[in-house]
Amino acid sequence: MSNQELVVLGQIDDAGACCPGLLTAPLDESQAVELAKVFKALGDPVRLRLLSMIASRAGGEVCVCDLTPAFELSQPTISHHLKLLRQAGLIDCERRGTWVYYWLVPEMTDRLAGILTRPAGEPLPGRTAAAGAAS
Amino acid sequence: MSNQELVVLGQIDDAGACCPGLLTAPLDESQAVELAKVFKALGDPVRLRLLSMIASRAGGEVCVCDLTPAFELSQPTISHHLKLLRQAGLIDCERRGTWVYYWLVPEMTDRLAGILTRPAGEPLPGRTAAAGAAS
């Protein structure tokens, strides 16, 4: 199975040592475009539920046959959502016989968590420091 | 300024002690709907750039007059994107005289980071544990 999209999305972090740092410096346009694709994939309730079912599965992987019954949606619709999660680099899959098995790509969720985490020891930003600057 | 949307979105985490735990247990439908709104707000390059400009600003807040020149977009378009970030509970704002000032709501990005963080000490999930179960 091709990991082409995963490789492209992996370049989000190649610009820096670890993460583009959403909270520490302004993102440039290309970083924002790549990162937005991943968040957009998470911006749907069905995809979030699929991802959480896959990520929390004991054993680490789930047959698509165990995902579909949880939703009142057709198999092609579920497959489409799974494809979008896979293209975003959040999950991967493998066909074995009749069924396709899915698993989390924890490196991607780790990256997103890192991007959204404030640097250690940084106080809460907000209105305190600059409030006096208003004219 | 009303914090109604913020309060609603705050209920994402009221179900558990901290976070709905995207990676540790299947999300229920209402959790997924609320959480998807926040990720959807992040699923756009312009909004990600706006958020990173606001979050990384020394002093903790930014005048809208300092955000607009970074984009080749009209003021109403920028304001619309800022409104979506605010409705998602990611930023808040206050009008002072002519200008509106924006700041990060770090509690929301902290929650998202927590939701995407694997429990401490948990090994990488994946195909290792269940690979032998394939028939």
Side-chain angles (χ1 to χ4, degrees), chain B residues 2 4 15-16 44-45 58 66 69-70 73 81-83 86 92 95 97 102 105 109 111-112 117:
Chain B
S2 165
Q4 192 176 358
D44 177 274
D66 291 327
L73 295 169
H81 284 300
L82 289 166
K83 182 183 172 186
R86 193 173 62 79
D92 204 352
R95 175 176 289 278
Y102 290 88
V105 177
T109 49
R111 283 178 188 169
L112 295 181
T117 299

Side-chain angles (χ1 to χ4, degrees), chain B residues 14-56:
Chain B
D14 289 350
C18 161
C19 310
L22 180 61
L23 305 183
T24 52
L27 289 179
D28 70 32
E29 202 163 333
S30 64
Q31 288 173 328
V33 166
E34 293 303 316
L35 192 52
K37 288 179 191 167
V38 186
F39 283 125
K40 193 171 181 181
L42 293 173
D44 177 274
V46 172
R47 290 197 290 276
L48 277 180
R49 289 179 62 204
L50 284 167
L51 184 69
S52 73
M53 289 172 74
I54 293 166
S56 63

Side-chain angles (χ1 to χ4, degrees), chain B:
Chain B
M1 176 161 293
S2 165
N3 281 335
Q4 192 176 358
E5 298 100 350
L6 268 173
V7 171
V8 171
L9 284 159
Q11 291 174 348
I12 295 171
D13 291 345
D14 289 350
C18 161
C19 310
L22 180 61
L23 305 183
T24 52
L27 289 179
D28 70 32
E29 202 163 333
S30 64
Q31 288 173 328
V33 166
E34 293 303 316
L35 192 52
K37 288 179 191 167
V38 186
F39 283 125
K40 193 171 181 181
L42 293 173
D44 177 274
V46 172
R47 290 197 290 276
L48 277 180
R49 289 179 62 204
L50 284 167
L51 184 69
S52 73
M53 289 172 74
I54 293 166
S56 63
R57 183 73 158 206
E61 62 176 29
V62 191
C63 174
V64 67
C65 57
D66 291 327
L67 295 170
T68 311
F71 300 87
E72 292 182 356
L73 295 169
S74 69
Q75 171 71 48
T77 300
I78 295 293
S79 292
H80 175 69
H81 284 300
L82 289 166
K83 182 183 172 186
L84 293 179
L85 287 171
R86 193 173 62 79
Q87 287 178 337
L90 288 156
I91 60 173
D92 204 352
C93 68
E94 184 178 76
R95 175 176 289 278
R96 285 187 224 130
T98 307
W99 300 113
V100 180
Y101 292 78
Y102 290 88
W103 58 89
L104 181 72
V105 177
E107 293 81 0
M108 182 58 89
T109 49
D110 286 355
R111 283 178 188 169
L112 295 181
I115 284 164
L116 290 161
T117 299
R118 281 175 289 145
E122 187 174 304
L124 290 183
R127 304 162 62 190
T128 49
S135 59

Side-chain angles (χ1 to χ4, degrees), chain A residues 22 27 52 94 110 118 127, chain B residues 27 52 94 110 118 127:
Chain A
L22 180 61
L27 289 178
S52 72
E94 183 179 76
D110 285 355
R118 281 174 289 145
R127 304 161 62 190
Chain B
L27 289 179
S52 73
E94 184 178 76
D110 286 355
R118 281 175 289 145
R127 304 162 62 190

